[in-house]
Amino acid sequence: TRIRQEIVLGIGGLRALKALGLRPSAYHMNEGHAAFLALERIRDLMEEQRLTFEEAWEATRDSNIFTTHTCVPAGIDLFDGALLWEHFESFCQTYGITPEQLFRIGRKNASDHNERFSMAVAAMNTSSHRNAVSRLHRDVSQEMWGDLWPSLPAWEVPIGYVTNGIHLPSMLNGDLAGVYDHYLQPDWRDTYQEPKVWRHVDEIPDADIWEAHRRRKKQLTVYVREHQAKTAARNRAPAAEIRRIEESFDPDAFTIGFARRFATYKRATLLFRDPARLKRLLLNPKMPVQLVLAGKAHPQDVPGKNFIREIVQFSRDPEIQGRVVFLENYSLRMAKEMVQGVDLWLNTPRRGEEACGTSGMKAAINGVLNLSILDGWYDEIYEDAGGWAIGNRDPYSEDQDALHASDIYSQLENDIVPLYYKRDEEDVPHLWMQRGKQG
């Protein structure tokens, strides 16, 4: 199924462009899934220009671009030679492509008949420009793919980087956009990508931004209550339980958000490593804290599903009812509500395994501060972002799990939560707002 999907994506995708009369000047393969595009371009030139396979390969390489998103070899699609030939025998025979030429595209060692065909290697071999999706990911990728260029030191491996970004108009909440309409230049919605547009953010009164955030946080509260009540009703919970849910989740409590795929490298349960210490944070009567989490695990990812089960079980502890909420059926709508309405965004991957990550960016543009491992995009911007870092820039090792969990608790207890609750007589947290504006 996978190889057929990728044939449709790569070969079918190019044929769809041709059917539409489109002739791009460059072809971008976003991850290796589309690498059969390069084979179809080679076939096209062999047929149209009467070029040899090698000539067509070289001619198309100049206008192929490949972006890699993967940090570990296990994330690469590999196909056995027999499976590949089963699907491409007719294709190759029709256009005079030999099995050796086909396999050479996707193998590191063309003469190794036991090596499986790698979609990422195929994309690397058929592209003139290759990029990772953050600066740190560039370094990881150069190490990971260095054996394709065995004569070069890792730092000279020809893989650059273009750090991922987000589409601000899609993710910025309307309340904050209204504040910007009032204080920024009239054309900020069209020129938001220019740094000079944001020079006036410091001049916006803290109270105005804070009020916009409070409105969005109240909207998140309504969303969480309604979502949880519907889930409980669907699970045939007692009426008393549904009424309790409809009154839970405090719009005035410090709220931490965590939403993403529940892949094990993201360490979703790091915050739950010391339940007693976490409970003390959640139940502080003067500075209460609550958590809202969401996400899905791959159907075959048993450890990821166990992470979700562990969090849900913790949330059912009567002592902390309503302080920890896991939202089922993760969706784009849910993600937007969360990044726009929480106070702090938590990100806990193993350093070097999050290629970029963009959820924290979406939170940051809504004035939400980040507490994150120095990985992906955050490693590049941390010193100027206003948020907090977990750990340092040392390579990941398993003994860091306990250290990172302790660091999270310590920063929340001593710095982050007290700063949030430090208010003036108008109940505005000015020091917190200054950090948000910095981000």
Side-chain angles (χ1 to χ4, degrees):
T1 299
R2 188 68 163 182
I3 193 171
R4 291 177 180 182
Q5 289 173 334
E6 297 188 351
I7 288 170
V8 170
L9 178 63
I11 297 177
L14 184 59
R15 292 183 183 181
L17 291 176
K18 289 170 66 178
L20 291 168
L22 300 175
R23 290 279 182 167
S25 57
Y27 295 80
H28 178 207
M29 291 175 277
N30 195 36
E31 195 54 283
H33 311 305
F36 290 136
L37 159 81
L39 185 62
E40 175 71 355
R41 293 198 67 208
I42 290 171
R43 181 204 65 78
D44 265 353
L45 277 192
M46 290 177 66
E47 185 177 37
E48 294 173 3
Q49 305 294 331
R50 297 293 185 264
L51 300 181
T52 66
F53 181 85
E54 284 71 21
E55 290 170 340
W57 185 347
E58 286 302 317
T60 56
R61 192 203 308 263
D62 286 344
S63 51
N64 285 343
I65 302 164
F66 173 53
T67 296
T68 177
H69 293 260
T70 307
C71 292
V72 291
I76 303 297
D77 283 337
L78 301 171
F79 297 119
D80 290 333
L83 180 66
L84 188 74
W85 189 243
E86 175 189 337
H87 285 84
F88 280 92
E89 180 178 10
S90 176
F91 179 95
C92 290
Q93 289 178 348
T94 300
Y95 300 105
I97 299 171
T98 67
E100 290 74 18
Q101 289 171 326
L102 172 66
F103 291 125
R104 185 154 56 91
I105 288 178
R107 285 176 175 167
K108 294 180 181 179
N109 181 357
S111 61
D112 182 356
H113 298 295
N114 294 317
E115 183 181 339
R116 302 171 78 190
F117 187 95
S118 166
M119 296 297 285
V121 170
M124 293 268 189
N125 283 337
T126 56
S127 297
S128 62
H129 184 84
R130 311 156 194 89
N131 69 276
V133 291
S134 71
R135 183 175 60 198
L136 180 59
H137 183 227
R138 184 267 316 270
D139 299 342
V140 171
S141 298
Q142 287 177 322
E143 290 284 349
M144 182 174 171
W145 299 109
D147 49 359
L148 285 173
W149 294 272
S151 63
L152 297 179
W155 58 272
E156 283 190 2
V157 169
I159 300 175
Y161 77 95
V162 179
T163 303
N164 278 344
I166 58 168
H167 186 239
L168 182 142
S170 296
M171 301 307 301
L172 182 67
N173 78 69
D175 293 302
L176 195 53
V179 174
Y180 292 160
D181 285 336
H182 188 71
Y183 288 101
L184 300 183
Q185 295 296 324
D187 63 346
W188 74 269
R189 292 174 184 265
D190 298 318
T191 58
Y192 67 86
Q193 296 188 39
E194 299 177 15
K196 66 180 181 180
V197 171
W198 304 102
R199 291 174 187 165
H200 300 290
V201 165
D202 285 339
E203 300 169 15
I204 302 175
D206 291 344
D208 287 15
I209 298 179
W210 179 241
E211 181 57 30
H213 178 66
R214 287 182 71 248
R215 287 197 297 270
R216 192 53 55 162
K217 193 172 178 182
K218 288 178 180 178
Q219 179 173 312
L220 173 63
T221 300
V222 172
Y223 177 84
V224 168
R225 289 174 176 175
E226 291 180 347
H227 184 279
Q228 292 299 85
K230 289 178 182 177
T231 301
R234 188 169 58 248
N235 294 335
R236 298 182 179 180
E241 171 70 7
I242 295 175
R243 284 195 299 273
R244 184 195 64 77
I245 289 172
E246 290 174 338
E247 296 174 357
S248 65
F249 208 72
D250 183 357
D252 295 319
F254 179 72
T255 304
I256 301 172
F258 181 100
R260 50 188 46 85
R261 286 187 305 113
F262 269 68
T264 50
Y265 79 86
K266 294 177 184 284
R267 298 190 295 177
T269 56
L270 199 61
L271 182 59
F272 300 85
R273 193 177 179 94
D274 187 339
R277 196 170 179 183
L278 177 56
K279 283 183 180 180
R280 289 196 296 271
L281 264 169
L282 298 172
L283 300 174
N284 186 326
K286 294 182 178 180
M287 298 184 295
V289 175
Q290 60 191 6
L291 311 176
V292 55
L293 306 99
K296 294 180 179 179
H298 189 280
Q300 297 178 355
D301 183 1
V302 175
K305 289 190 286 189
N306 286 339
F307 278 1
I308 294 176
R309 185 178 297 109
E310 182 179 334
I311 292 169
V312 171
Q313 288 176 344
F314 181 84
S315 72
R316 291 174 177 167
D317 185 332
E319 191 178 354
I320 50 106
Q321 272 191 348
R323 289 293 178 194
V324 179
V325 174
F326 183 86
L327 302 177
E328 296 181 8
N329 299 317
Y330 187 45
S331 65
L332 179 59
R333 160 80 191 284
M334 187 183 293
K336 290 179 72 170
E337 292 288 351
M338 290 180 64
V339 298
Q340 293 175 359
V342 301
D343 299 304
L344 184 76
W345 196 254
L346 181 64
N347 185 39
T348 54
R350 301 168 186 153
R351 176 173 159 84
E353 294 188 33
E354 187 71 86
C356 181
T358 57
S359 64
M361 297 181 189
K362 296 165 188 172
I365 65 168
N366 286 287
V368 175
L369 290 169
N370 278 269
L371 173 59
S372 176
I373 295 292
L374 290 167
D375 200 10
W377 75 280
Y378 198 65
D379 182 65
E380 298 174 32
I381 200 67
Y382 159 61
E383 280 78 9
D384 300 313
W388 293 267
I390 303 166
N392 50 35
R393 291 186 167 93
D394 290 338
Y396 172 76
S397 58
E398 287 188 8
D399 62 345
Q400 291 178 353
D401 289 349
L403 293 173
H404 288 170
S406 180
D407 191 15
I408 293 172
Y409 296 132
S410 179
Q411 293 196 70
L412 288 172
E413 293 163 345
N414 301 310
D415 299 322
I416 300 172
V417 177
L419 184 68
Y420 177 82
Y421 281 105
K422 188 173 184 179
R423 312 283 175 86
D424 67 5
E425 62 277 4
E426 301 295 328
D427 200 37
V428 176
H430 290 285
L431 294 178
W432 184 270
M433 298 308 299
Q434 288 175 18
R435 278 182 170 266
K437 288 179 177 180
Q438 181 181 338

